[in-house]
Amino acid sequence: MKVLLLVAFCLFHTISGTIDRTWWRNTTLYQVLLPSFMDGNGDGFGDLKGLISKLDHFVDLGIETVLITPHYPSPNMNNAGYDITNYTDVNRLSGTMQDFDDLMREMKKRGLKLIIDMVINHSGDQHPWFINSVNRVEPYTDYYVWKDAKGFDINRNPIPPNNWQALYGGSIWKWNTKRQQFYLHQFIEQMPDLNLRNNLVLDEFKKIFEFWANKGVAGFRLDAAEHFVEDDQLRNEPFINLSTQILRGRNDLSNIFTQFLWESVEVIHEFRTFIDSLTEKIGDFERILIPETHSQRKELYEYYGSKNHNIAHFPFNFWLTYTNRYENAYYYKNLIEGYLNCLPEGAVANWNSENHDIPRRAEVFNEEYEFILTSMVLLLPGISFTYYGQELGLAGWHFPGREQTMEAFRLPMQWDDTTNAGFSNNSRPYLPVSLNYNQINVKKQKADENSHYNKVKKMISLRKTNVFKYGEFKSYAVSHWVYSFTRKWENELYVMIFNLGDGTEFVDLHQSIGNLPNVMVIELASRNSDYKTGNEIQINQKLKLQPHVALVLHPKKN
């Protein structure tokens, strides 16, 4: 099926008045892990002042939109700050509300937009809402998911309502001795789930959305959207292995009653209706909702909604984060075409290969394969996400004997070769800087025209052209290991080629793709290739591709 992605003419909205409704449809988005990006006050933690000091980095790279991880008060920074105690304030480690206002002012000067993380599924257990709910203080009594014990064992210990399991291990239920009931927590017990069937809770978040939108925030990442609502009948999860029915953790259960329920999607629809009204009320540009959902199934498309029933502007597409370096060209062809071909009419695609929840690709695979994935993310149709440091090809730990952990892909950004890689002047930053910062840093790569950074910068500049914004997309398995796709708009044509295999490949592009001009020019080549920008390629001859090489070609101009 031929895919034509004319995202500028998306059918979900009509362009009217002075409201900019198109800014997000091809945006290049950059995710900042705030504690690890830049320390602006010398306490060893990245913060808003540090982010402000590096805004010109985004301008130089060509980034248009920045997503920051939670900046709200979080007493224990549990699970990277997702145990929130106030949704309309700033964590002391991140700075002050004045810092946030300064950030918005400086971003506006540079034409940048900000997306913030909205954690709707749960709060921290020290949030006043939860404390009042424990004490049955109205109207907070039912702000969280509370259930009675199923009974008591012979030692008078309460028995959970069912067999549901938390994502991080153990029962999803935690007994509260004061209230004498269980509360539900999809994640850790310090993060109780909010009751999103309660309209009062939805109204609280509408006020929060409006608070940040009035400050100029352009959109909201909806954390853990697939977990918003659970089965109201509290039915036990069926076992995946019906013959053994051994419960060791969440993966032994089907999770059909705790994940991807349709009611969770309808919660987003409720917020979307409100966000759309905010857009009309404020009147400058469209505010957007981006739910985080990890589905590779039909549920992903449900988050788009339809022309007459808008839900999200787009849900995160994590399909490229699930790949490994042993997948062949047919795998990528089927994965990419499968996603694009099933998008609802007028919907916008989006791509990412790294984020704060998974190990960095350069560490898991290698630097060359990471560049292949980054190239796909930036040059496929739609919206791209770049994780901080991905523009440098950062890996994880570079310490002898150190194992890959969550912290490994959250290490401080490497700005230069000074102390602590220029991240902080504190002698002990909250996480150690990788030992490779002398070789891999922003300053050094900016000065090297053949660097990872400058190649990413070049691809981001290509994204801004009509051929990559609106161009026709076609996909090819040139050989078992060589994958290719083309982008075409009017008389402009680009050909992307990736050797996914561990061996050298010789491919006939004229035979496998066809209708190519006789001479093409290398627009961009990965550093491990035999080619340089400007090299001419004879299409009637076989093209030699070193292992894990990425190339971008365009026709020779007369």
Side-chain angles (χ1 to χ4, degrees), residues 64-126:
E64 300 152 325
T65 307
V66 178
L67 162 67
I68 60 172
T69 49
H71 62 283
Y72 315 102
S74 165
N76 299 313
M77 289 295 287
N78 281 313
N79 198 31
Y82 285 82
D83 60 329
I84 295 165
T85 57
N86 188 336
Y87 287 92
T88 54
D89 202 354
V90 174
N91 189 320
R92 62 178 179 79
L93 293 173
S94 299
T96 65
M97 190 60 76
Q98 183 60 56
D99 293 335
F100 189 91
D101 292 339
D102 292 344
L103 172 66
M104 296 309 305
R105 183 182 65 253
E106 293 300 319
M107 291 188 76
K108 186 175 181 180
K109 285 181 183 178
R110 294 164 173 82
L112 300 170
K113 287 190 167 58
L114 183 69
I115 307 291
I116 63 173
D117 214 332
M118 188 60 66
V119 187
I120 291 170
N121 181 71
H122 51 266
S123 74
D125 61 358
Q126 296 183 43

Side-chain angles (χ1 to χ4, degrees), residues 269-282:
H269 170 66
E270 176 82 10
F271 290 139
R272 173 63 182 273
T273 302
F274 180 75
I275 288 293
D276 286 348
S277 72
L278 278 183
T279 291
E280 300 300 327
K281 180 179 178 180
I282 300 173

Side-chain angles (χ1 to χ4, degrees), residues 46-66:
D47 49 38
L48 296 173
K49 282 184 180 294
L51 178 57
I52 293 170
S53 73
K54 294 298 184 182
L55 290 180
D56 288 337
H57 175 68
F58 305 128
V59 176
D60 181 73
L61 192 56
I63 298 297
E64 300 152 325
T65 307
V66 178

Side-chain angles (χ1 to χ4, degrees), residues 123 125 127-137 139-149 161 164 172-185 189 192-196 198 201 230 232 234:
S123 74
D125 61 358
H127 195 293
W129 294 347
F130 187 71
I131 294 170
N132 284 328
S133 191
V134 168
N135 291 296
R136 298 180 187 269
V137 175
Y140 305 101
T141 301
D142 295 321
Y143 267 40
Y144 296 82
V145 182
W146 293 99
K147 299 298 177 185
D148 291 332
W164 296 353
I172 208 170
W173 302 100
K174 174 68 177 177
W175 182 251
N176 183 274
T177 55
K178 186 164 189 178
R179 179 155 166 155
Q180 289 291 294
Q181 281 188 307
F182 283 100
Y183 67 84
L184 183 145
H185 60 92
E189 64 183 52
D193 274 39
L194 286 149
N195 178 11
L196 297 179
N198 185 338
V201 176
E230 296 78 28
D232 58 356
L234 301 182

Side-chain angles (χ1 to χ4, degrees), residues 313-537:
H313 289 78
F314 58 93
F316 276 90
N317 165 27
F318 293 111
W319 289 15
L320 286 179
T321 69
Y322 304 137
T323 63
N324 65 63
R325 59 173 287 187
Y326 303 107
E327 304 291 4
N328 61 38
Y330 299 99
Y331 170 88
Y332 279 95
K333 185 176 190 299
N334 292 334
L335 181 146
I336 291 168
E337 288 184 355
Y339 168 70
L340 290 174
N341 291 347
C342 291
L343 286 172
E345 183 181 12
V348 182
N350 71 95
W351 309 92
N352 78 91
S353 59
E354 291 191 15
N355 59 60
H356 64 287
D357 285 326
I358 63 170
R360 290 191 180 272
R361 305 295 85 183
E363 183 79 6
V364 175
F365 305 148
N366 56 41
E367 180 183 345
E368 291 77 22
Y369 206 97
E370 181 276 330
F371 185 78
I372 286 176
L373 292 174
T374 296
S375 301
M376 289 183 184
V377 166
L378 291 172
L379 299 176
L380 284 166
I383 298 160
S384 74
F385 287 82
T386 297
Y387 185 48
Y388 85 100
Q390 189 174 352
E391 70 270 37
L392 305 177
L394 282 189
W397 289 113
H398 279 269
F399 299 98
R402 207 64 191 265
E403 293 183 0
Q404 182 73 269
T405 65
M406 287 288 282
E407 286 75 18
F409 39 99
R410 296 177 179 178
L411 295 183
M413 181 66 169
Q414 296 169 201
W415 294 105
D416 54 41
D417 59 1
T418 62
T419 303
N420 294 325
F423 163 73
S424 174
N425 59 20
N426 190 293
S427 60
R428 299 188 67 181
Y430 92 110
L431 284 176
V433 175
S434 178
L435 292 181
N436 67 3
Y437 75 90
N438 285 306
Q439 292 75 43
I440 302 177
N441 62 67
V442 173
K443 183 179 180 180
K444 184 173 183 177
Q445 289 203 13
K446 277 189 176 182
D448 177 5
E449 65 178 19
N450 196 41
S451 68
H452 194 290
Y453 177 91
N454 280 314
K455 291 180 186 298
V456 168
K457 181 177 177 178
K458 173 63 178 178
M459 288 188 282
I460 291 175
S461 71
L462 288 175
R463 287 180 53 77
K464 301 178 190 297
T465 63
N466 283 344
V467 67
F468 284 94
K469 279 185 176 180
Y470 316 128
E472 178 185 67
F473 170 86
K474 289 185 178 181
S475 182
Y476 306 89
V478 175
S479 71
H480 185 79
W481 291 111
V482 177
Y483 173 66
S484 176
F485 62 83
T486 59
R487 304 296 308 276
K488 184 177 182 181
W489 175 258
E490 296 181 344
N491 294 323
E492 288 288 316
L493 171 69
Y494 282 85
V495 181
M496 278 56 67
I497 306 167
F498 309 98
N499 181 6
L500 306 162
D502 294 333
T504 301
E505 294 276 328
F506 295 86
V507 294
D508 186 337
L509 295 182
H510 185 74
Q511 182 178 16
S512 55
I513 297 178
N515 297 319
L516 294 178
N518 291 330
V519 181
M520 298 198 76
V521 177
I522 300 290
E523 179 74 14
L524 185 145
S526 54
R527 291 191 296 172
N528 56 318
S529 77
D530 293 328
Y531 306 100
K532 294 182 179 179
T533 299
N535 286 167
E536 294 185 2
I537 302 296

